[in-house]
Amino acid sequence: STMFLVGLSGGIASGKSTVVAVLRELGCAVIDADVIARQVVQPHSKAHQQILQHFGTEILLENGEINREALGNIIFSKPEKRQLLNSITHPEILKEMLKQVLKYFVLGYRYVILDIPLLFETRGLTRFMKHTVLVYCDPPTQLARLMKRSGLGVAEAEARISSQLPLDEKRKWATHVIDNSGDRESTRRQVLRLHARLEDSLDFLWARLAVGTAVAGFGGLVFLLIRHFIS
């Protein structure tokens, strides 16, 4: 079997969750970076302990979990704190993503989708993706959806949108664009076409597993996978 990686991203209220839902309906393998980011900072984890050492216990909720809003307020206006948090969480997130990629690779999936909200902002991971997909919608639609979804006023909604890289800028970097400006059925048709194209693609991440690699066992396979991504 061969497999390659597809990076998926969007913007606030652009409809990425709608696209992911369709992909999951199709049986695609989707790795959600946001879910992993929450998992790696659960109580008693390595990252959780390191965050408490640097940010203090005042960022904890009553159940011991990290108050994401409180932590977000700290790092929003202090770039050095944001870099510190990233240095703690990103290695743990990457390790978990690699483990999940390995799982789907062994299961024989044609491709794996990495759902990464800041894929185009950081751009560090794009070099590992054979394809990148942007879920796009036009600015007026994005603003209206955010206001309706969050109950925000115009000024507040515009401020949140402007804090991200504009979708029109992101689409310059994407190899595929799903335009979610219309209705759900239009978006679904685009996702179906993209899925068919990726399934028929001759692109690949690795060649077939060698017999020697199989004999080397799970540990050797993890090592090779990590070396492939980091080298």
Side-chain angles (χ1 to χ4, degrees), residues 19-31 104 109 111-113 191 194-196 198-199:
V19 171
V20 169
V22 176
L23 289 167
R24 291 189 187 279
E25 289 174 11
L26 294 171
C28 298
V30 181
I31 298 174
Y104 290 121
Y109 277 76
Y111 66 92
V112 174
I113 299 163
V191 176
L194 175 63
H195 175 60
L198 294 175
E199 281 288 306

Side-chain angles (χ1 to χ4, degrees), residues 12 17 29 51 75 89 100 114 122 152 167 174 181 188 199 216-217:
I12 186 170
S17 59
I51 290 171
I75 68 173
T89 59
Q100 293 192 28
L114 300 181
T122 59
L152 299 173
L167 289 173
S181 303
R188 182 180 179 83
E199 281 288 306

Side-chain angles (χ1 to χ4, degrees), residues 9-11 14-15 19 134-139 145 166-169 171 177-182 187:
S9 194
S14 69
V19 171
L134 174 70
V135 181
Y136 174 87
C137 71
D138 60 76
R145 286 175 177 170
L167 289 173
D168 284 321
E169 183 69 23
R171 71 185 303 168
V177 176
I178 300 293
D179 191 336
N180 190 40
S181 303
T187 299

Side-chain angles (χ1 to χ4, degrees), residues 146-166:
L146 179 57
M147 291 173 62
K148 181 179 180 180
R149 186 184 75 184
S150 304
L152 299 173
V154 175
E156 292 176 302
E158 288 179 340
R160 292 199 181 186
I161 292 173
S162 63
S163 69
Q164 299 183 339
L165 190 68

Side-chain angles (χ1 to χ4, degrees), residues 30-90:
V30 181
I31 298 174
D32 190 326
D34 263 354
V35 171
I36 293 176
R38 290 191 290 269
Q39 291 174 342
V40 300
V41 297
Q42 288 298 302
H44 309 299
S45 67
K46 177 182 176 182
H48 185 274
Q49 295 171 0
Q50 291 179 333
I51 290 171
L52 291 187
Q53 290 174 5
H54 292 284
F55 292 90
T57 57
E58 60 270 18
I59 63 168
L60 289 181
L61 297 169
E62 291 184 2
N63 62 2
E65 294 184 0
I66 291 174
N67 185 330
R68 292 165 59 88
E69 183 178 354
L71 184 57
N73 290 336
I74 293 174
I75 68 173
F76 182 75
S77 58
K78 297 180 180 180
E80 71 280 3
K81 293 290 188 180
R82 182 166 60 250
Q83 292 173 4
L84 173 60
L85 179 64
N86 289 342
S87 70
I88 294 171
T89 59
H90 284 187

